[in-house]
Amino acid sequence: MKILVVGSGGREHAIVTSIAKSPKVDKIYCAPGNAGIADLAELVPLKAMDFEGLAAFAEEQKIDLTVIGMDDPLVGGIVDVFEAKGLKVFGPRKNAAILEGSKAFSKDLMKKYNIPSAAYEVMHSPEEAKAYLEKATFPIVLKADGLALGKGVLICNTLEEALDGVQELMVDKKFGDSGNQIVIEEFMTGREVSVLSFVDGKTIRIMTSAQDHKRAGDGDTGLNTGGMGTFSPSPFYTKEVDEFCKKYIYQKTVDAMAAEGRPFCGIIFFGLMLTGNGPKVLEYNARFGDPEAQVVLPRMKNDIVDVMEACVNGTLDQVELEFEDNAAVCVVLASDGYPSSYEKGIPIYGCETFKDKDGYYCFHAGTARNEEGVLVTNGGRVLGITAKGNDLKEARANAYAATEWVTFANKYLRHDIGKAIDEA
Ligand code: AMP
Ligand code: GLY
């Protein structure tokens, strides 16, 4: 088979790494990819939002399956463009990717189908939002309706902060049209868990759990980022939690989408909070998490291509997912200054150390080759260093040891990824 993967981050490197293990696969292309993905796939210089260009490439090269890694093209309708040309593609159509693309949509869906989530209201204008906030209790959460690189969520402790937030999202339009509407939501407390799943429109298969670390600094301080590190499984995702979510959240979400005439095919990522009143959905994503994929996929025993084909063909009920009985930790090596401002183009040394090390992975996110062919930094999140271990503590020790193998002048990392393991 010939496979095309669309995306360029650590998540896509993890996806390509899993696809490369499949005996069915002869050739992998990745658009646009990065310097690490280039070791496993031929890079195609097309942007993820160039739907027509990508579909034309898939037609010309007779690609058997295209896998969309990123949210923007999914929400923009890339799957519909491929399907209209009769091309096989893994990911939700536009009318289903809205599960991630609009928080107002997903909150209304959860309310209509009684799926546990925070109480909320949708605000359509700054005036409406301000009037609502005057009577609200704090803390309270403001969310831009649309995609905002994971940064459109504001937790406000006071009325003043919330009014500033409305100004930022709805008036100054910091995230563009994403702030045309906002969701104002009840503030919840509890541990967060990420659960990824494969879905074929009707059937859902849950992957092993993971936990992300979204803030830039140690001790969960500093700005929100795309994710600074992950571990899998989450020790807080107990059998009871799993049973609750299977009964009240997972299948109900898939059935709700089907009932709305929006059958979901692809990955549903459930961002859950384990509150005192049981697990609740914080958010849905319509793709693998980044860096959740970097700890979940290395532990998956199935041939990922078989599972993706089953989703596309509607035969997921015939698949059982299997995961290794071990653990994995991913520590992101970022450019100092991320997520605000940082330098790029800095030489990276040591990635070759991973080549012959079983259970260790150096997933590339923001990397490139410069004109001399030297591996250099090319983004905020540069590498995701993943290691497995027999248990979480061993995996964490292994991952942190491996972070020392790689150097670049402005390397920045959190030192407390997986600290929560000690409290389990
Ligand atoms: P989201 O993009 O909706 O997952 O939100 C990003 C982060 O904001 C989450 O991972 C939580 O840490 C936090 N968050 C979102 N919604 C709430 C809420 N209702 N209560 C408390 N924290 C929240
Ligand atoms: N790591 C969180 C996300 O991918 O949205």
Side-chain angles (χ1 to χ4, degrees):
M1 284 178 79
K2 285 183 174 180
I3 312 250
L4 168 64
V5 176
V6 176
S8 60
R11 165 183 51 214
E12 285 74 23
H13 195 182
I15 293 171
V16 167
T17 301
S18 286
I19 291 174
K21 287 196 297 189
S22 170
K24 293 175 133 174
V25 173
D26 306 301
K27 172 99 189 167
I28 310 173
Y29 296 92
C30 186
N34 62 38
I37 295 174
D39 289 341
L40 300 167
E42 184 175 326
L43 301 190
V44 183
L46 290 172
K47 295 218 167 79
M49 294 308 281
D50 179 3
F51 301 170
E52 293 298 333
L54 289 164
F57 176 85
E59 264 182 327
E60 279 158 27
Q61 297 297 326
K62 302 198 166 44
I63 299 293
D64 298 294
L65 179 67
T66 298
V67 177
I68 314 298
M70 298 166 70
D71 43 11
D72 281 339
L74 290 169
V75 170
I78 190 171
V79 168
D80 306 64
V81 172
F82 271 64
E83 285 185 348
K85 293 185 192 291
L87 294 162
K88 259 198 180 185
V89 54
F90 176 78
R93 292 179 192 145
K94 185 173 184 169
N95 75 352
I98 190 173
L99 191 61
E100 170 166 5
S102 167
K103 302 236 188 231
F105 171 85
S106 67
K107 294 296 295 185
D108 289 346
L109 185 89
M110 288 187 267
K111 186 189 262 180
K112 181 168 173 189
Y113 292 91
N114 230 342
I115 296 167
S117 184
Y120 76 103
E121 292 292 335
V122 180
M123 299 291 148
H124 307 86
S125 72
E127 295 70 35
E128 189 186 4
K130 285 175 188 164
Y132 180 85
L133 287 167
E134 300 282 352
K135 298 191 196 115
T137 49
F138 294 86
I140 206 160
V141 184
L142 309 190
K143 299 186 173 184
D145 177 49
L147 295 181
L149 298 166
K151 291 166 197 150
V153 174
L154 305 176
I155 295 176
C156 305
N157 290 307
T158 62
L159 176 62
E160 289 66 39
E161 275 178 44
L163 295 176
D164 287 348
V166 170
Q167 178 75 23
E168 194 176 298
L169 297 176
M170 300 191 90
V171 183
D172 301 342
K173 296 274 174 91
K174 189 166 171 198
F175 301 104
D177 288 345
S178 288
N180 286 352
Q181 304 186 86
I182 64 168
V183 170
I184 300 188
E185 200 174 276
E186 165 203 4
F187 175 76
M188 304 189 291
T189 52
R191 290 198 183 272
E192 290 183 42
V193 185
S194 302
V195 176
L196 310 179
S197 66
F198 288 95
V199 183
D200 74 352
K202 321 177 282 290
T203 302
I204 180 163
R205 291 286 184 258
I206 301 301
M207 295 181 235
T208 181
S209 61
Q211 185 179 318
D212 191 12
H213 299 66
K214 289 215 168 90
R215 300 294 198 98
D218 285 0
D220 288 327
T221 55
L223 295 173
N224 257 321
T225 70
M228 293 299 293
T230 39
F231 58 84
S232 170
S234 163
F236 307 104
Y237 190 80
T238 58
K239 201 159 172 284
E240 290 71 38
V241 172
D242 184 57
E243 277 165 12
F244 180 95
C245 295
K246 283 191 169 128
K247 196 160 168 196
Y248 297 108
I249 296 177
Y250 302 145
Q251 187 68 49
K252 272 177 90 169
T253 301
V254 174
D255 293 346
M257 290 299 282
E260 293 292 309
R262 301 169 181 271
F264 192 105
C265 175
I267 302 289
I268 300 183
F269 165 148
F270 298 85
L272 303 175
M273 187 173 269
L274 311 181
T275 76
N277 295 320
K280 295 192 180 181
V281 178
L282 277 173
E283 64 160 349
Y284 294 114
N285 294 312
R287 39 134 187 115
F288 281 103
D290 188 346
E292 281 87 344
Q294 288 90 313
V295 285
V296 168
L297 289 180
R299 299 185 51 231
M300 191 167 93
K301 291 189 192 172
N302 303 69
D303 181 328
I304 194 172
V305 178
D306 284 344
V307 183
M308 289 175 164
E309 284 192 296
C311 290
V312 176
N313 297 335
T315 55
L316 192 62
D317 58 335
Q318 292 162 33
V319 173
E320 292 303 332
L321 295 184
E322 283 189 88
F323 287 83
E324 293 170 1
D325 183 20
N326 57 9
V329 170
C330 173
V331 180
V332 169
L333 304 186
S335 303
D336 195 15
Y338 171 73
S340 303
S341 62
Y342 46 84
E343 266 185 81
K344 293 193 211 175
I346 295 174
I348 305 169
Y349 305 100
C351 290
E352 61 289 346
T353 315
F354 289 79
K355 285 236 152 66
D356 52 359
K357 299 265 195 317
D358 227 25
Y360 290 84
Y361 304 80
C362 178
F363 292 121
H364 289 230
T367 69
R369 298 258 168 212
N370 69 11
E371 278 161 16
E372 288 86 49
V374 176
L375 183 69
V376 294
T377 63
N378 192 38
R381 291 191 291 179
V382 177
L383 300 166
I385 303 300
T386 295
K388 293 186 196 173
N390 288 318
D391 58 23
L392 284 162
K393 285 188 180 167
E394 190 180 292
R396 180 176 60 185
N398 291 345
Y400 271 106
T403 62
E404 308 271 332
W405 304 345
V406 180
T407 54
F408 49 95
N410 60 345
K411 170 175 151 185
Y412 171 81
L413 68 158
R414 271 185 66 164
H415 298 91
D416 60 348
I417 302 302
K419 187 163 181 284
I421 297 163
D422 300 325
E423 295 151 26

